[in-house]
């Protein structure tokens, strides 16, 4: 009886029986005075198991020492003994598989513990449980003014499929590399630790891919070892052919484009490395990937050029971002131009690390950018502080890159200098003269000849609230896009006509969410969405 009283008071008798020592933490000794909360079976079980080695889970009460469950602690077929209830049958009704814990209320308490005042969530970050549903938006016209949003089960007659049309869907998804997640853990302080484990995340990501069932997948932040061991085998089992380009240097991730073998045939795969050893500006390891796909059973139809990239993140290096974009556009131009002089339809997906309305975004959509006097930190629209105000140089990249201001590959144009009669003219002086002459010919205007539109409008039409594609502890913005070449047209670019054939028409898209929507499920990642980005999904029609 004395021993039981000691336990009730939070003490245990010493081994020699001559004293008492606290067996519970101080805040638990006073639990009854401060706060009374009933414990369910699961909580009591957790309390009695490995208390000394328990991990406090971010977002839970400091008094709740729930242990971290893994296969080392609990085999998948393991069930704990009945220690707490007299009715053993009642206890056996629980499903104690560790992967099911996240679907119960055990790990979803309402308190929110942050490390500092700066990390405290705003009032709109309500820690509730649930799933945010995204609906399909049917677009009868791809122009904004003709946008029409219909219910999932009500499709306008004008949008019905036609037999003579080739339709396909495209998904763009930054799946969040596990190594990058762990290297930047401060961005995920709002998350419970189990939802950040790759063993939990990958099944969720694969489930999303299966559910959306896109014909073309453009994935970013694909970690090489995960791609080789898990991602590629699983996607191939679903009928996809996969192409992958790993980042240069020591970076562990890259970009992948996967397409259904039943819909397309691969004509060419063209990786793009943005790193250039001989150009100091291009010292970053980002990459791109460009595929040329031929629709199956439609041999007379123009092929489709699909590009995927992940541009540099650094908000203060807009000069690098613009140069990387120009390199990608030059490769797309090279791949998309056909032997007959026409340009095939183009789809560009990726994480551009730039917000809507920024100079980089406007350049993609409008096809031109005058960057004279533009601050480097303003190119992507991410930089809000006065840092990074150095002005872009003219030209941004050196002529040795071999890419013109029109974002196409060019044969380096060497200015011919008449041979001087004097013998003291050195080769070095000659090269310096050539660079100076070339620089004088360049203006501060960038161009590309593609007519590109964005699948998403980036703002909700009725409220004007921004759409969000990524959300973590520090930020919630749009940086992910699907751009596509509009319906067939002829564009006159500096006196040269470029004919586009087999234009694309946007039929529909999976709706995006607001920042407030995402914080109702504790932001990203969460129990149901295992990346800090949302997948984008669009359906297109290609005229035959």
């Amino acid at each position: 009886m004395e021993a039981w009283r000691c336990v009730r008071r939070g003490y245990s008798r010493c081994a020699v029986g001559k004293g008492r020592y606290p067996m519970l933490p101080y805040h638990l000794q006073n639990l009854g005075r401060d706060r009374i909360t009933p414990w369910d079976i699961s909580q009591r079980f957790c309390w009695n198991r490995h208390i000394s080695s328990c991990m406090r889970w971010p977002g839970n009460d400091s008094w709740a020492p729930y242990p971290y469950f893994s296969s080392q602690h609990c085999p998948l077929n393991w069930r704990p003994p009945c220690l707490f209830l007299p009715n053993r049958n009642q206890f056996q009704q629980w499903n104690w598989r560790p992967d099911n814990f996240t679907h119960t209320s055990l790990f979803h308490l309402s308190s929110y513990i942050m490390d500092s005042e700066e990390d405290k969530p705003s009032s709109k970050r309500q820690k509730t449980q649930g799933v945010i549903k995204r609906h399909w938006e049917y677009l009868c016209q791809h122009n904004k003014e003709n946008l029409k949003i219909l219910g999932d089960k009500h499709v306008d007659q004008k949008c019905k499929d036609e037999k003579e049309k080739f339709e396909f869907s495209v998904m763009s998804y930054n799946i969040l590399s596990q190594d990058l997640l762990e290297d930047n853990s401060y961005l995920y302080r709002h998350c419970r630790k189990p939802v950040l484990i790759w063993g939990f995340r990958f099944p969720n990501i694969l489930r999303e891919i299966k559910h959306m069932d896109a014909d073309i997948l453009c994935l970013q932040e694909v970690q090489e070892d995960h791609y080789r061991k898990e991602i590629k085998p699983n996607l191939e089992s679903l009928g996809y052919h996969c192409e992958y380009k790993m980042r240069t240097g020591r970076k562990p991730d890259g970009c992948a484009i996967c397409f259904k073998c039943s819909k397309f045939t691969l004509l060419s795969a063209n990786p793009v490395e943005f790193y250039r050893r001989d150009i100091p500006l291009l010292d970053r390891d980002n990459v791109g990937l460009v595929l040329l796909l031929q629709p199956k059973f439609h041999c007379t139809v123009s092929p489709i050029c699909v590009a995927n990239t992940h541009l540099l993140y650094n908000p203060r290096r807009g000069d690098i971002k613009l140069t990387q974009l120009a390199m990608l556009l030059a490769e797309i131009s090279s791949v998309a131009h056909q032997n007959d002089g026409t340009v095939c339809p183009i789809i560009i997906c990726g994480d551009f690390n730039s917000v809507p309305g920024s100079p980089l975004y406007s350049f993609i959509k409008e096809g031109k950018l005058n960057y004279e006097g533009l601050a480097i930190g303003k190119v992507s629209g991410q930089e809000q502080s006065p840092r990074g105000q150095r002005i872009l140089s003219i030209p941004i990249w050196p002529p040795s890159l071999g890419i013109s201001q029109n974002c196409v590959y060019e044969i380096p144009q060497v200015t011919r200098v008449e041979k001087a009669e004097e013998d003291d003219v050195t080769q070095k002086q000659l090269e310096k003269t050539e660079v100076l002459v070339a620089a004088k010919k360049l203006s501060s205007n960038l161009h590309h000849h593609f007519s590109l539109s964005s699948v998403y409008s980036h703002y909700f039409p009725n409220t004007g609230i921004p759409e969000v594609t990524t959300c973590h502890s520090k930020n919630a913005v749009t940086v992910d896009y699907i751009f596509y070449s509009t319906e067939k047209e002829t564009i006159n670019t500096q006196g040269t006509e470029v004919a586009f054939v087999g234009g694309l028409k946007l039929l529909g898209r999976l709706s995006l969410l607001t920042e407030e929507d995402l914080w109702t499920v504790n932001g990203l990642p969460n129990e149901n969405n295992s990346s800090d980005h949302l997948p984008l999904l669009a359906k297109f029609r290609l005229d035959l």
Side-chain angles (χ1 to χ4, degrees):
M1 180 60 69
E2 174 62 23
W4 172 246
R5 282 197 297 267
C6 290
V7 171
R8 290 288 300 272
R9 295 171 183 171
Y11 292 91
S12 177
R13 299 193 65 85
C14 296
V16 295
K18 295 183 179 181
R20 297 183 300 178
Y21 65 94
M23 65 178 291
L24 302 177
Y26 176 77
H27 59 282
L28 281 176
Q29 298 175 34
N30 298 322
L31 179 62
R33 306 170 196 168
D34 301 332
R35 183 174 182 177
I36 298 177
T37 303
W39 285 18
D40 62 13
I41 301 171
S42 307
Q43 290 170 307
R44 279 182 284 172
F45 167 73
C46 293
W47 175 250
N48 283 272
R49 180 173 173 80
H50 305 301
I51 295 177
S52 61
S53 61
C54 288
M55 297 174 59
R56 266 65 173 184
W57 292 26
N60 286 342
D61 291 308
S62 58
W63 56 265
Y66 300 140
Y68 173 84
F69 285 94
S70 68
S71 58
Q72 296 177 352
H73 296 109
C74 313
L76 292 179
N77 60 354
W78 170 83
R79 290 177 181 269
C82 181
L83 301 176
F84 311 109
L85 290 179
N87 185 353
R88 187 179 184 89
N89 292 331
Q90 180 179 354
F91 187 82
Q92 290 178 343
Q93 298 301 317
W94 286 79
N95 184 356
W96 283 94
R97 290 172 60 94
D99 54 353
N100 287 333
F101 273 97
T102 55
H103 299 294
T104 71
S105 60
L106 174 61
F107 305 127
H108 304 298
L109 302 184
S110 59
S111 297
Y112 204 106
I113 307 301
M114 305 300 288
D115 296 336
S116 65
E117 186 69 22
E118 179 184 356
D119 293 327
K120 286 186 178 180
S122 62
S123 58
K124 58 189 172 185
R125 299 183 184 181
Q126 299 298 323
K127 194 174 179 66
T128 60
Q129 185 63 22
V131 178
I132 292 292
K133 293 184 178 180
R134 301 169 61 186
H135 63 277
W136 191 258
E137 297 176 343
Y138 297 97
L139 311 181
C140 296
Q141 298 291 335
H142 65 276
N143 297 324
K144 284 185 185 178
E145 59 271 16
N146 295 323
L147 177 68
K148 186 173 183 180
I149 301 177
L150 305 175
D152 288 344
K153 297 182 180 179
H154 302 85
V155 184
D156 195 296
Q157 294 295 323
K158 296 180 181 179
C159 293
K160 284 187 175 181
D161 297 345
E162 299 179 13
K163 293 182 179 179
E164 66 273 13
K165 307 296 183 180
F166 177 77
E167 296 182 357
F168 64 98
S169 55
V170 178
M171 175 180 174
S172 181
Y173 195 8
N174 183 326
I175 64 173
L176 181 57
S177 162
Q178 188 66 24
D179 282 2
L180 293 178
L181 181 155
E182 294 171 3
D183 291 343
N184 300 276
S185 58
Y186 68 94
L187 296 176
Y188 311 104
R189 292 174 180 171
H190 63 284
C191 300
R192 304 176 184 89
K193 290 196 181 295
V195 305
L196 300 178
I197 301 170
W198 177 249
F200 178 88
R201 293 177 55 229
F202 177 64
N204 268 358
I205 293 171
L206 188 61
R207 174 183 53 81
E208 285 185 290
I209 292 175
K210 287 181 179 179
H211 177 70
M212 295 185 181
D213 195 31
D215 299 312
I216 301 175
L217 305 176
C218 292
L219 307 178
Q220 304 90 40
E221 288 195 27
V222 181
Q223 194 163 305
E224 192 277 333
D225 56 338
H226 293 157
Y227 171 78
R228 177 169 33 87
K229 298 177 182 178
E230 299 173 85
I231 298 174
K232 183 179 180 181
N234 277 278
L235 292 182
E236 287 180 340
S237 69
L238 296 176
Y240 288 96
H241 173 86
C242 302
E243 294 289 333
Y244 178 71
K245 174 57 183 172
M246 185 177 176
R247 284 207 283 172
T248 53
R250 298 182 178 180
K251 303 301 182 181
D253 64 293
C255 295
I257 300 180
C258 312
F259 60 90
K260 285 187 176 179
C261 300
S262 60
K263 297 273 287 192
F264 298 97
T265 301
L266 178 64
L267 298 182
S268 67
N270 309 272
V272 185
E273 294 183 356
F274 299 142
Y275 175 81
R276 292 289 188 274
R277 181 179 301 178
D278 56 336
I279 300 178
L281 174 68
L282 296 173
D283 61 348
R284 307 305 167 93
D285 295 306
N286 304 82
V287 296
L289 184 60
V290 182
L291 301 189
L292 192 62
L293 303 178
Q294 178 67 52
K296 276 194 171 181
F297 313 114
H298 299 284
C299 298
T300 59
V301 178
S302 171
I304 301 171
C305 179
V306 181
N308 185 23
T309 191
H310 188 179
L311 299 185
L312 176 70
Y313 165 74
N314 192 336
R316 299 185 296 278
R317 293 308 305 269
D319 52 344
I320 299 178
K321 295 187 184 189
L322 277 175
T323 306
Q324 291 179 346
L325 176 61
M327 296 172 71
L328 180 69
L329 292 174
E331 185 65 27
I332 293 172
S333 179
S334 176
V335 173
H337 273 85
Q338 304 299 294
N339 294 331
D340 58 0
T342 60
V343 177
C344 67
I346 297 167
I347 295 175
I348 308 176
C349 300
D351 181 345
F352 290 81
N353 276 314
S354 300
V355 301
S358 65
L360 187 144
Y361 172 87
S362 299
F363 172 54
I364 296 175
K365 286 199 64 178
E366 297 174 10
K368 59 183 179 179
L369 173 66
N370 186 348
Y371 60 86
E372 183 177 2
L374 179 62
I376 290 180
K378 300 300 181 182
V379 169
S380 65
Q382 298 168 291
E383 183 61 46
Q384 303 299 328
S385 70
R387 299 176 299 168
Q389 295 302 306
R390 183 164 60 89
I391 303 301
L392 287 169
S393 61
I394 303 175
I396 299 175
W397 57 83
S400 60
L401 182 60
I403 295 177
S404 72
Q405 297 287 90
N406 292 327
C407 300
V408 296
Y409 292 126
E410 64 177 5
I411 299 174
Q413 300 296 325
V414 179
T415 304
R416 294 183 179 181
V417 179
E418 294 183 0
K419 185 177 180 180
E421 296 180 359
E422 296 82 359
D423 296 334
D424 59 344
V425 178
T426 63
Q427 182 66 26
K428 184 176 181 180
Q429 290 174 326
L430 180 64
E431 293 174 354
K432 183 177 180 181
T433 303
E434 292 172 355
V435 172
L436 290 175
V437 173
K440 290 180 181 179
K441 293 184 177 181
L442 295 176
S443 68
S444 58
N445 292 301
L446 294 180
H447 297 275
H448 69 76
H449 57 258
F450 305 126
S451 178
L452 298 174
S453 295
S454 174
V455 163
Y456 290 91
S457 59
H458 314 307
Y459 297 90
F460 288 91
N462 296 329
T463 62
I465 297 175
E467 297 173 335
V468 169
T469 67
T470 181
C471 179
H472 49 67
S473 293
K474 297 295 184 182
N475 207 356
V477 292
T478 288
V479 295
D480 306 279
Y481 304 95
I482 300 177
F483 296 104
Y484 67 101
S485 55
T486 52
E487 292 187 87
K488 55 185 175 182
E489 55 187 318
T490 300
I491 298 179
N492 189 298
T493 305
Q494 296 185 350
T496 303
E497 288 191 352
V498 179
F500 291 82
V501 297
L504 294 173
K505 183 174 182 179
L506 178 63
L507 298 181
R509 65 195 179 197
L510 188 64
S511 65
L512 287 174
L513 304 172
T514 67
E515 180 180 1
E516 185 176 0
D517 290 335
L518 289 175
W519 282 117
T520 61
V521 290
N522 198 34
L524 297 173
N526 55 52
E527 282 78 3
N528 298 292
N529 309 95
S530 287
S531 173
D532 57 350
H533 293 249
L534 290 173
L536 312 184
L537 181 64
K539 187 172 185 178
F540 298 98
R541 172 185 294 163
L542 176 63
D543 294 334
L544 302 185

